[in-house]
Amino acid sequence: MLKPDLLIVGAGPAGMSAAIVAARAGLKVVVVDEQPTPGGQIWRGVEANAGTSRGRALGAQYCSGLATVRAFRECGAVYWPSTRVWQIEPTLGTYVTGPGGTRVITPRLVLIATGAQERPAPLRGWTLAGVMTVGAAQILLKNPGSVPSEAVWIAGCGPLALLYAHQLVRMGGAVAGFLDTRPSTPLRESLRLAGRAVLRSSGELAKGASWYAELRHRAGRYVPGVVDLQALGTDRLEGVRYRTAAGRVEEIRTSLLLIHEGVLPELHTVRSLGCEIQWDAGQAAYRPVLNEWGECSHPDILIAGDAAGIGGAEAAVHRGRLSALRILQRLGKVAAEPGMTEENCRTALARALALRPFLDRVFRPRGEIFAPDDDTIVCRCEELRVRDLRAALAGSVGPNQLKAFTRAGMGPCQGRQCGLTVAALIAAAEGRQMSDVQPFRVRPPLKPVRLCDLAGLADEGLSS
Amino acid sequence: MFRLLEDDRGRMESTVTIEIDGYPVIARIGETVASALLREGASWSRTTPVSGARRAPYCMMGVCFECLMLVEGEGLVRACQTPVRDGLKVERQMGPRKVGPSC
Amino acid sequence: MFDCVVIGGGVVGSAIAYGLASHLDSVLMIDGRDSEPRAAQANFGLVWYQSKGVGMPAYQRLSRLAVEEWRSFSEEIEETGGIPIEFAGPGGLTFCLGDQELEARQTILSRLAGQMERTEIGMLSRHELERLYPGIRLGKDVTGGAFSALDGHVNPLRLLMALQQGFVNAGGTVHRGRRVDGIEVCGGQFRLHLKRSVVHAARVVIAAGEASRVLAEPLGMTLPFTLQRGQILVTERVGPVLPYPSDRIRQTAGGTIMIGGTKENVGRDTGTTANAAASLAARAIRVFPDLARVSAVRQWSGRRVITPDIAPIYERSSRFPGAYACICHSGVTLAAYHARGLAKRIAGYGSWDDVQKFSARRFDVQAA
Ligand SMILES: Cc1cc2nc3c(=O)[nH]c(=O)nc-3n(C[C@H](O)[C@@H](O)[C@H](O)COP(=O)(O)OP(=O)(O)OC[C@H]3O[C@@H](n4cnc5c(N)ncnc54)[C@H](O)[C@@H]3O)c2cc1C
Ligand SMILES: Cc1cc2nc3c(=O)[nH]c(=O)nc-3n(C[C@H](O)[C@H](O)[C@H](O)COP(=O)(O)OP(=O)(O)OC[C@H]3O[C@@H](n4cnc5c(N)ncnc54)[C@H](O)[C@@H]3O)c2cc1C
Ligand code: FES
């Protein structure tokens, strides 16, 4: 049984940055990540891509990850790639399965740096083969370097959709059309939110604006103000029907549609431990309740990066470092790097987060996502539609019983694709705020595990 | 649905052949079964055990489980989290998976 | 003012309320919050009699009566509740691994046979078991098993839904997400205090699972029990391979395989442990090695209410006529009895004599 000082789940910007600080200070650190190489979502595959034409097309922010990945590889932390964490018990006993089989780790402290997932955006027909997320397509761009075979239709809202379109075009792909589902934001309100951040982050803003400009210019079509989308087809996607705020309805033919409605913190790990969460109205998402160090309601667990609330890669780095500093403090160590102080990290974090309220406001998801029409599938695994859930709502006492009665959230994805929508349906039906509704419980395992992998624990006596 | 870009690295020497439903599929070393599948004409990965509807990889990051496929020697796994290796035999999962002496 | 209020909307409260609705004019069921412990949403779904009532013939007979009634009861409830409940009663098995388990099972069977004329339970050899499961191999340690022709299984969540819907369809009223904080008696009536309201009733049935004790005590009813945690593992859906349910492993109508249940004395802890998952999985593979590569997708735990002799407690207050309490393990199995025989007697029809055997006073007698 492995007994490190610190276990970090996730080798993205947050997890790697924390590991570097902690390991250099002399802690025994283990980092586990499901991916075969370090980098997380943003820097996926950066070791292979940096320095190639693909890396250049993916951009400078992408390639900048190489330095962190290299430092991480050399920092002395034990790194288990291709290994998934499937259960963390409240006593911190952590169960992982990977190339080395199933193992137990019992660390003194745990840092959860599991990042984000894309916001489920239920629309009619979204289960058809041919509908994918923008994030999925971007993953293919990074590894193995695939682009849609034909000019692609993208529908959605959020920086990642713009970034993907930009990267795709630079790599030689083409955008057939962009259905912008971003609700129009009163300019004055957005600017007020941005405040002085606008000045300080003018570079970022200019980059975003240029992506938009490029999109309008390079995409075959750019349709603003899309409020309703429907994927058409029987066995696979054949077309898309959309409606704009102005009431215009149009149909296009396509065999591939990429959708994206922003990202959400990965909360399964945190919630399976019973850690407290709260509704963040600004981000229209639940997030864990944390103090300024990333400590949560469980005394020995910290959370950093996008899993702590969406902040982006740079904020993830600084949150990872801050959590690591706190961990050093708690275990009686000090950071090895001279500049690695709380003050510096906080300043950098504030800078990284300066533009966030503005981004959250401008890319706030449209309300329709939370109130899909009756025919829309909510739970992809169990193929439950809004209608089924609404019907069951009246006869149940709350989210957990609703789950029990309908099986929503009981399939292999374990509620990752339906949990938020179900909570929104309950809130709407009962006239309550999202902040008053708790999503249904999360049960282990965090990811499915084969019975033989479980039984392996008993065989080896590891479980006793 | 997707095609590979030529870049300054990828050539034939960095490929392997896997089998999907008995047909050979050329894949790049380091990519996943799902990403190879998505270059095939029939890019769907399974039919659901509930209604039999076809599904294809959706998120590519391991959170939707639409890419569940039967990999020889392993069971039903997420194809988007399964790296290719030469000779790997993969089957589309049709409905609920079978269990028995031969599976 | 209600003829009767049932406190608790688990499978026990729902079955009783459902039954009462056909005897009384106005029945109210009050069911606590979503976060309340709910054994009815955590159980294994067996309709089971083959292991019940060793040393207590009355419980053996009660369980047998219930499983026999289940066949017609399942049809009735599907019709009145309008919800398919996936009941099947093909008979059920207890697998024995190794010779010791086989001997122990044989002993139980002969004790049960000593208490009842024809138990309809018998031992099967390994070879006979193999014939019952043509699609899957048995592990090498399987030495035999017990088979009861009367046993079966049901989807316990659908059962709960159907009971509640059947109750509503029969004119019953449900208050969901509300808790009864206390019960007062005045002038032969019961006053139930809820957060912001009071409900009046001529009769009250306490069926609040592990929360029953505190409600029943002031009404002069003592309910001795301890809590036992049970953890269950469930797999992805697979094609039909297990035609019969067994005590620790069964395939649901939807195709998932349920593997249950640990028995742990850990007080009120409702956590799940990887330890338990490991031992449940290991035993399942020892019985059916072909399940090794099937994935578990969910694990949960629930708490059983365990009375000193494991049999249910049906209590009628002698101090406050009209007050009843009902707690049990095996509330799924006994649902047919609760909805029929027991509800009828609470409504005032038929004799209470045979129910009296299940009063908690039986424990005083034993102590004396
Ligand atoms: C699909 C996708 C693509 C994105 N692309 C970009 C981009 O190009 N540019 C950008 O600025 N932002 C991008 N983002 C936003 C992203 O959240 C970044 O801001 C950044 O990656 C966050 O860093 P992090 O360290 O918090 O988490 P991540 O980088 O997401 O890293 C989390 C890591 O945890 C691992 N993990 C999670 N759960 C487990 C588990 N149970 N067991 C083992 N390992 C686990 C994951 O494999 C992952 O590597 C993307 C988000 C998504 C969802
Ligand atoms: C792991 C496990 C496996 C099992 N397997 C089987 C099996 O295979 N077959 C079988 O027959 N039995 C099985 N059982 C037992 C069965 O689940 C229980 O007998 C049955 O659920 C008990 O039902 P109940 O209604 O008494 O309790 P519960 O389901 O706990 O319901 C109590 C209800 O009372 C409500 N309540 C509590 N306090 C108040 C209050 N103050 N005011 C209003 N409402 C209140 C709660 O909200 C709850 O809904 C199993 C149990 C467990 C834990
Ligand atoms: S595509 Fe979503 S889990 Fe593989």
Side-chain angles (χ1 to χ4, degrees):
Chain A
M1 200 184 307
L2 205 62
K3 296 186 170 172
D5 297 313
L6 172 63
L7 169 72
I8 299 179
V9 188
M16 289 191 296
S17 305
I20 295 166
V21 172
R24 284 183 182 163
L27 291 187
K28 271 171 63 188
V29 181
V30 174
V31 182
V32 179
D33 194 298
E34 199 168 21
Q35 292 193 45
T37 54
Q41 296 306 345
I42 177 168
W43 297 328
R44 180 184 283 269
V46 69
E47 287 164 302
N49 291 330
T52 69
S53 58
R54 195 192 302 163
R56 281 188 292 282
L58 287 166
Q61 201 197 7
Y62 175 76
C63 294
S64 74
L66 187 62
T68 308
V69 170
R70 286 207 173 129
F72 168 66
R73 291 260 194 208
E74 285 158 14
C75 73
V78 175
Y79 166 52
W80 286 351
S82 306
T83 301
R84 64 184 191 277
V85 172
W86 51 263
Q87 182 161 5
I88 306 178
E89 291 178 348
T91 53
L92 301 196
T94 302
Y95 298 81
V96 308
T97 298
T102 297
R103 292 192 269 192
V104 191
I105 307 171
T106 48
R108 292 167 74 186
L109 297 171
V110 172
L111 177 68
I112 294 172
T114 47
Q117 75 164 61
E118 288 174 275
R119 178 190 294 281
L123 51 97
R124 270 163 300 158
W126 68 314
T127 52
L128 289 170
V131 181
M132 293 175 80
T133 69
V134 167
Q138 196 211 27
I139 286 169
L140 290 165
L141 210 55
K142 292 171 179 170
N143 175 29
S146 304
V147 297
S149 356
E150 287 158 26
V152 68
W153 280 88
I154 302 174
C157 158
L160 191 61
L162 299 175
L163 171 63
Y164 174 71
H166 170 74
Q167 290 171 330
L168 177 66
V169 169
R170 282 177 56 134
M171 282 177 77
V175 179
F178 193 96
L179 304 174
D180 198 338
T181 60
R182 187 172 69 80
S184 66
T185 321
L187 189 64
R188 195 176 306 154
E189 190 193 338
S190 326
L191 287 175
R192 183 180 54 75
L193 270 169
R196 289 222 297 281
V198 174
L199 299 175
R200 255 186 291 150
S201 316
S202 54
E204 290 290 299
L205 280 177
K207 194 160 79 182
S210 78
W211 290 347
Y212 250 116
E214 178 187 62
L215 192 62
R216 285 169 195 255
H217 176 66
R218 299 286 290 271
R221 299 218 14 223
Y222 173 80
V223 186
V226 171
V227 291
D228 189 34
L229 273 173
Q230 183 179 356
L232 308 169
T234 42
D235 253 4
R236 58 180 182 81
L237 183 72
E238 288 160 20
V240 178
R241 182 181 299 146
Y242 64 86
R243 184 164 53 82
T244 65
R248 193 157 55 87
V249 177
E250 206 171 324
E251 239 177 76
I252 48 168
R253 311 294 299 168
T254 179
S255 58
L256 179 62
L257 172 69
L258 304 179
I259 57 179
H260 179 76
E261 299 283 357
V263 294
L264 302 172
E266 188 284 314
L267 283 180
H268 254 61
T269 317
V270 173
R271 293 191 44 226
S272 73
L273 280 154
C275 301
E276 240 179 278
I277 58 165
Q278 67 190 25
W279 178 251
D280 179 336
Q283 300 202 328
Y286 292 102
R287 67 192 296 168
V289 176
L290 301 173
N291 68 9
E292 72 278 14
W293 296 103
E295 289 167 312
C296 69
S297 59
H298 186 296
D300 298 325
I301 293 174
L302 294 87
I303 305 165
D306 273 0
I310 302 304
E314 206 188 321
V317 166
H318 302 302
R319 281 177 173 164
R321 288 179 180 159
L322 273 168
S323 291
L325 288 177
R326 176 61 170 170
I327 288 163
L328 294 183
Q329 216 179 68
R330 286 177 55 169
L331 301 182
K333 300 270 184 185
V334 285
E337 305 96 316
M340 194 58 68
T341 63
E342 182 192 348
E343 201 189 345
N344 287 348
C345 291
R346 292 214 187 280
T347 311
L349 178 61
R351 208 180 321 117
L353 288 175
L355 206 55
R356 196 44 56 177
F358 171 76
L359 293 176
D360 290 344
R361 182 64 193 90
V362 170
F363 294 111
R364 184 175 297 172
R366 67 202 153 98
E368 290 83 356
I369 292 181
F370 299 100
D373 67 30
D374 261 3
D375 221 26
T376 307
I377 288 182
V378 173
C379 171
R380 298 173 62 104
C381 297
E382 295 293 325
E383 298 181 54
L384 294 161
R385 290 167 202 274
V386 171
R387 176 186 323 117
D388 306 319
L389 288 159
R390 288 218 172 106
L393 258 170
S396 60
V397 294
N400 296 311
Q401 196 173 60
L402 186 68
K403 174 180 173 184
F405 282 178
T406 61
R407 291 189 57 81
M410 287 201 194
C413 98
Q414 300 156 305
R416 285 176 173 84
Q417 297 294 331
C418 69
L420 190 57
T421 316
V422 170
L425 288 174
I426 291 174
E430 297 178 357
R432 290 195 283 159
Q433 299 294 317
M434 287 297 274
S435 49
D436 291 343
V437 181
Q438 284 276 323
F440 50 64
R441 264 182 224 118
V442 170
R443 302 287 192 189
L446 292 168
K447 307 263 168 114
V449 209
R450 297 182 305 180
L451 296 181
C452 56
D453 294 328
L454 287 172
L457 285 172
D459 289 349
E460 287 167 33
L462 277 175
S463 60
S464 54
Chain B
M1 247 164 352
F2 286 79
R3 66 183 164 90
L4 267 180
L5 286 173
E6 279 311 312
D7 65 9
D8 31 13
R9 281 172 310 158
R11 287 298 167 267
M12 287 314 282
E13 65 267 26
S14 57
T15 64
V16 294
T17 305
I18 64 170
E19 235 178 57
I20 299 181
D21 285 341
Y23 290 94
V25 170
I26 297 190
R28 252 190 208 174
I29 290 175
E31 77 171 311
T32 63
V33 170
S35 77
L37 172 77
L38 286 167
R39 290 196 300 277
E40 292 299 290
S43 58
W44 53 283
S45 42
R46 62 173 185 132
T47 63
T48 69
V50 179
S51 73
R54 278 187 184 175
R55 295 284 171 88
Y58 171 74
C59 74
M60 291 300 286
M61 61 171 289
V63 293
C64 76
F65 292 75
E66 297 296 9
C67 63
L68 290 172
M69 295 180 89
L70 211 52
V71 170
E72 190 184 44
E74 287 185 35
L76 201 55
V77 298
R78 289 167 295 165
C80 74
Q81 302 295 308
T82 307
V84 297
R85 49 171 202 271
D86 204 34
L88 192 73
K89 288 193 173 62
V90 184
E91 281 173 37
R92 290 192 176 82
Q93 180 54 48
M94 307 299 289
R97 66 171 293 191
K98 308 279 175 297
V99 167
S102 55
C103 336
Chain C
M1 163 95 175
F2 289 90
D3 289 342
C4 184
V5 174
V6 178
I7 306 175
V11 70
V12 174
S14 301
I16 295 175
Y18 166 81
L20 285 174
S22 58
H23 296 293
L24 303 175
D25 286 337
S26 61
V27 183
L28 169 69
M29 180 167 84
I30 303 177
D31 191 16
R33 293 170 303 222
D34 198 34
S35 52
E36 230 88 50
R38 288 169 180 269
Q41 283 165 224
N43 71 75
F44 198 63
L46 292 178
V47 175
W48 215 243
Y49 121 95
Q50 64 174 278
S51 49
K52 309 281 169 67
V54 180
M56 191 177 176
Y59 183 36
Q60 185 185 13
R61 281 197 302 277
L62 182 73
S63 299
R64 177 163 187 163
L65 174 78
V67 295
E68 281 173 342
E69 294 241 349
W70 246 101
R71 276 143 234 278
S72 67
F73 177 65
S74 71
E75 284 166 23
E76 172 194 322
I77 192 72
E78 287 194 343
E79 194 174 317
T80 52
I83 294 169
I85 59 171
E86 298 166 4
F87 170 76
L93 286 145
T94 303
F95 284 99
C96 302
L97 295 174
D99 292 333
Q100 241 177 348
E101 283 189 21
L102 196 70
E103 274 164 38
R105 185 55 48 182
Q106 266 157 346
T107 310
I108 291 174
L109 256 55
S110 37
R111 287 192 62 190
L112 287 170
Q115 297 173 187
M116 186 184 276
E117 193 92 12
R118 286 179 48 133
T119 60
E120 309 288 344
I121 315 171
M123 292 302 291
L124 297 184
S125 68
R126 182 190 159 93
H127 184 65
E128 287 166 311
L129 287 174
E130 277 168 346
R131 281 211 303 252
L132 292 182
Y133 291 87
I136 192 165
R137 285 175 298 187
L138 294 183
K140 61 177 182 358
D141 297 342
V142 176
T143 42
F147 180 80
S148 150
L150 299 173
D151 287 346
H153 56 160
V154 66
N155 179 331
L157 302 171
R158 294 194 144 262
L159 167 65
L160 186 60
M161 260 199 293
L163 287 169
Q164 295 190 358
Q165 194 57 52
F167 171 61
V168 170
N169 293 347
T173 310
V174 187
H175 285 355
R176 291 178 209 281
R178 320 254 327 252
R179 270 193 128 251
V180 175
D181 294 325
I183 309 169
E184 258 182 337
V185 191
C186 54
Q189 274 183 26
F190 299 94
R191 286 166 59 95
L192 281 67
H193 293 271
L194 282 73
K195 200 170 177 187
R196 268 186 296 271
S197 57
V198 175
V199 171
H200 298 262
R203 288 187 192 79
V204 60
V205 179
I206 298 166
E210 60 175 85
S212 300
R213 183 152 41 202
V214 280
L215 292 167
E217 201 74 58
L219 298 181
M221 297 183 285
T222 312
L223 306 175
F225 65 84
T226 54
L227 294 174
Q228 182 191 62
R229 179 168 76 179
Q231 301 191 49
I232 293 176
L233 207 56
V234 66
T235 71
E236 60 189 332
R237 292 180 197 250
V238 302
V241 276
L242 306 181
Y244 300 90
S246 73
D247 63 333
R248 297 191 224 189
I249 180 160
R250 73 179 188 95
Q251 184 168 26
T252 68
T256 60
I257 293 176
M258 289 177 75
I259 304 167
T262 58
K263 294 183 174 163
E264 306 161 84
N265 297 313
V266 290
R268 304 184 69 83
D269 185 347
T270 40
T272 54
T273 60
N275 253 342
S279 63
L280 291 171
R283 186 171 172 106
I285 295 174
R286 280 178 74 197
V287 177
F288 297 117
D290 294 332
L291 296 180
R293 291 196 183 119
V294 172
S295 287
V297 294
R298 217 158 359 99
Q299 183 188 354
W300 68 84
S301 78
R303 289 191 295 250
R304 305 181 184 92
V305 161
I306 303 290
T307 62
D309 60 6
I310 312 184
I313 298 178
Y314 303 133
E315 202 65 42
R316 182 168 70 163
S317 173
S318 45
R319 237 173 62 220
F320 302 105
Y324 299 82
C326 172
I327 56 162
C328 70
H329 174 257
S330 298
V332 175
T333 306
L334 295 172
Y337 170 70
H338 293 161
R340 291 177 169 176
L342 185 64
K344 187 170 131 191
R345 284 170 180 80
I346 292 175
Y349 305 97
S351 150
W352 191 260
D353 290 351
D354 47 343
V355 187
Q356 189 61 34
K357 296 192 190 92
F358 293 93
S359 160
R361 283 194 213 123
R362 68 186 187 263
F363 305 119
D364 309 340
V365 175
Q366 274 166 9

